[in-house]
């Protein structure tokens, strides 16, 4: 079965946030201090997530990503991944993490069927990491990435949010990582969003064209080939590199035409677009005993409601966008 939306896009990818809690407080992502977290009873249980995934897969979803908050902080998340990886018809399960707990969990996750992982890493400098993420945990993140590689996860994708005056001077060092490691290092334009610790001011924004220029200055190297691109990232490789450099530019380049995804929040709401506040409740019907077919119908409805695209332009960077929730609560 295929899920095709009213703009003729095939929707086969579901990002699932399993918690809105995080062990870091990244300035572009975390809620303002004092914000309450979702109530325990509002969060989908693992059995409920399993039912949603079974319905999603029987409706046409073939890839899922577990995200958060920080997904690795939720108790027994490895067991959830093991169960989900056994869902018939599911072709791919991956996890997005800040890496803090990855050195302990990479092995068990790999055994449970998670063969690849995305790790957020904005800096190689411990002091800077503490400023961005609110905790002095860079060594643990680096150890987590190393462990993921050792247990055989591939590809390891490093997500770097580039911010003016914060870490823009490290773009080249991060790109250079691909010369010695088979990682995908993906530079992301910061999305000016409301409700986060800093309110993500426009002054942090660095447009992708400028990021590309920084990467091109890696020594005398230049970007030489654009690899097969999939998902929102445009991919390039530096000459002789083992890995790949990617650029994700939600404001400068819209990738809405190829959008293939839905998002499920930890409290069971389906979001049709990261930048739209529209949410479709699946938790209510689930708790009222909806059948797999009925849950599948909710997926079809959400897919039909997907907007053609978000209307944000680079010039809108001055108007921080209200997503209805913080990024931490949506899952990126
Ligand atoms: N805790 C996990 C992590 O750190 O990767 C998963 C959740 S996090 C919300 C997912 C992704 O969203 C991260 O790669 C993060 O860098 C990105 N993100 C969060 N807020 C952002 C923003 N304002 N602009 C761009 N990317 C953002």
């Amino acid at each position: 079965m295929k899920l095709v939306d009213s703009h003729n896009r095939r929707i086969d990818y579901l990002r699932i946030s399993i918690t809105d809690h995080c062990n870091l407080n990244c300035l572009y992502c975390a809620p303002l201090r004092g914000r309450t977290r979702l109530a325990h009873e509002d969060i989908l249980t693992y059995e409920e997530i399993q039912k949603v995934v079974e319905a999603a897969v029987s409706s046409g979803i073939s890839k899922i990503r577990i995200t958060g908050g920080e997904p690795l902080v939720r108790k027994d998340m490895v067991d959830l991944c093991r169960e989900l990886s056994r869902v018939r018809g599911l072709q791919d399960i991956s996890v997005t993490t800040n890496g803090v707990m990855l050195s302990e969990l990479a092995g068990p996750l790999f055994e449970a069927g998670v063969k690849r992982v995305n790790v957020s890493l904005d800096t190689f400098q411990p002091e800077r990491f503490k400023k961005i993420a609110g905790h002095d945990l860079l060594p643990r993140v680096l150890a987590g990435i190393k462990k993921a590689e050792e247990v055989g996860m591939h590809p390891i994708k490093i997500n770097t949010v580039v911010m003016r005056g914060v870490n823009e001077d490290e773009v080249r060092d991060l790109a250079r990582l691909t010369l010695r490691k088979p990682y995908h290092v993906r530079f992301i334009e910061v999305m000016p969003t409301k409700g986060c610790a800093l309110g993500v001011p426009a002054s942090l924004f660095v447009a992708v064209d400028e990021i590309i220029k920084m990467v091109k200055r890696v020594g005398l190297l230049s970007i030489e080939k654009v690899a097969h691109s999939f998902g929102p990232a445009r991919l390039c490789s530096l000459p002789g590199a083992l890995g790949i450099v990617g650029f994700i530019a939600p404001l400068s380049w819209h990738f809405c035409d190829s959008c293939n995804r839905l998002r499920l929040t930890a409290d069971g709401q389906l979001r049709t677009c990261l930048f739209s506040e529209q949410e479709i409740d699946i938790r209510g019907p689930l708790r009222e005993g909806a059948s797999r077919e009925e849950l599948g119908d909710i997926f079809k409805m959400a897919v039909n409601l997907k907007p053609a695209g978000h209307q944000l332009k680079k010039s809108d960077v001055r108007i921080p966008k209200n997503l209805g929730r913080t990024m931490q609560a949506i899952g990126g």
Side-chain angles (χ1 to χ4, degrees):
M1 187 159 328
K2 282 185 184 170
L3 279 171
V4 179
D5 76 0
S6 44
H7 308 283
N8 215 23
R9 296 170 298 199
R10 176 149 180 216
I11 311 303
D12 58 3
Y13 175 40
L14 178 66
R15 294 178 66 98
I16 304 172
S17 172
I18 60 168
T19 176
D20 64 335
H21 176 50
C22 189
N23 45 1
L24 295 181
N25 266 313
C26 297
L27 53 86
Y28 49 78
C29 186
L32 288 161
R33 245 173 213 85
R35 272 266 184 100
T36 49
R37 284 175 23 204
L38 288 171
H40 181 69
E41 61 274 18
D42 288 339
I43 292 180
L44 296 186
T45 64
Y46 286 165
E47 292 72 23
E48 288 170 336
I49 294 174
Q50 175 92 16
K51 280 190 189 153
V52 172
V53 169
E54 284 166 358
V57 171
S58 55
S59 309
I61 296 290
S62 57
K63 293 176 276 186
I64 60 170
R65 171 171 299 281
I66 305 299
T67 177
E70 171 49 36
L72 271 53
V73 301
R74 185 158 170 189
K75 195 164 170 277
D76 300 330
M77 67 81 66
V78 173
D79 297 337
L80 172 72
C81 292
R82 184 177 302 105
E83 291 305 317
L84 295 181
S85 69
R86 291 181 183 147
V87 171
R88 269 186 60 194
L90 184 71
Q91 287 163 16
D92 187 56
I93 172 169
S94 55
V95 170
T96 292
T97 172
N98 59 32
V100 170
M101 294 173 68
L102 197 54
S103 51
E104 296 96 296
L105 293 180
L109 277 169
F110 191 76
E111 291 305 316
V114 177
K115 305 297 180 202
R116 57 196 196 86
V117 75
N118 289 9
V119 187
S120 300
L121 177 71
D122 300 328
T123 177
F124 287 125
Q125 300 180 22
E127 267 310 303
R128 200 173 266 188
F129 184 94
K130 197 172 158 192
K131 266 192 204 147
I132 297 172
H135 296 269
D136 194 4
L137 291 170
L138 178 64
R140 285 186 53 179
V141 176
L142 298 177
I145 295 170
K146 187 163 171 266
K147 188 71 183 181
E149 186 182 352
E150 278 166 15
V151 303
M153 288 193 175
H154 182 76
I156 293 171
K157 296 186 184 173
I158 307 290
N159 288 335
T160 302
V161 177
V162 181
M163 290 163 284
R164 172 99 49 219
V166 177
N167 65 345
E168 62 188 317
D169 55 339
E170 285 189 79
V171 164
R172 279 183 285 169
D173 288 342
L174 281 147
R176 270 194 205 104
L177 185 60
T178 66
L179 296 175
R180 48 193 166 85
K181 293 287 182 187
Y183 305 162
H184 294 199
V185 175
R186 299 151 11 125
F187 296 105
I188 306 176
E189 280 183 348
V190 68
M191 293 176 248
T193 49
K194 274 190 182 158
C196 298
L198 254 192
V200 191
S203 56
L204 289 186
F205 182 76
V206 184
V208 74
D209 293 348
E210 196 180 332
I211 303 173
I212 290 176
K213 278 188 196 139
M214 294 171 189
V215 174
K216 282 185 170 173
R217 287 199 296 265
V218 175
L220 288 175
L221 306 178
S222 61
I223 290 171
E224 67 167 17
K225 85 167 188 254
V226 177
H228 172 66
S229 294
F230 47 88
R234 295 204 191 162
L235 307 176
C236 309
S237 63
L238 297 165
L242 301 175
I244 284 176
V245 175
F247 302 96
I248 302 181
L251 288 168
S252 296
W253 303 329
H254 285 196
F255 34 84
C256 305
D257 283 353
S258 59
C259 183
N260 62 346
R261 61 196 58 194
L262 286 176
R263 292 176 166 81
L264 177 68
T265 63
D267 57 346
Q269 308 299 307
L270 282 174
R271 287 183 68 108
T272 54
C273 167
L274 177 59
F275 292 101
S276 158
E277 290 181 57
Q278 181 178 57
E279 296 188 347
I280 293 131
D281 180 35
I282 198 162
R283 186 187 66 198
L286 185 63
R287 291 190 175 169
E288 281 155 21
S291 66
R292 185 182 293 184
E293 288 68 32
E294 286 164 336
L295 295 176
D297 288 342
I298 297 174
F299 268 92
K300 285 175 203 143
M301 183 170 78
V303 161
N304 276 328
L305 288 172
K306 263 182 84 65
H310 67 78
Q311 306 306 323
L312 287 184
K313 300 180 295 296
K314 210 158 65 172
S315 52
D316 291 334
V317 75
R318 288 184 298 277
I319 316 155
K321 175 77 181 147
N322 189 357
L323 304 180
R325 299 177 185 242
T326 60
M327 285 289 269
Q328 183 172 307
I330 299 171

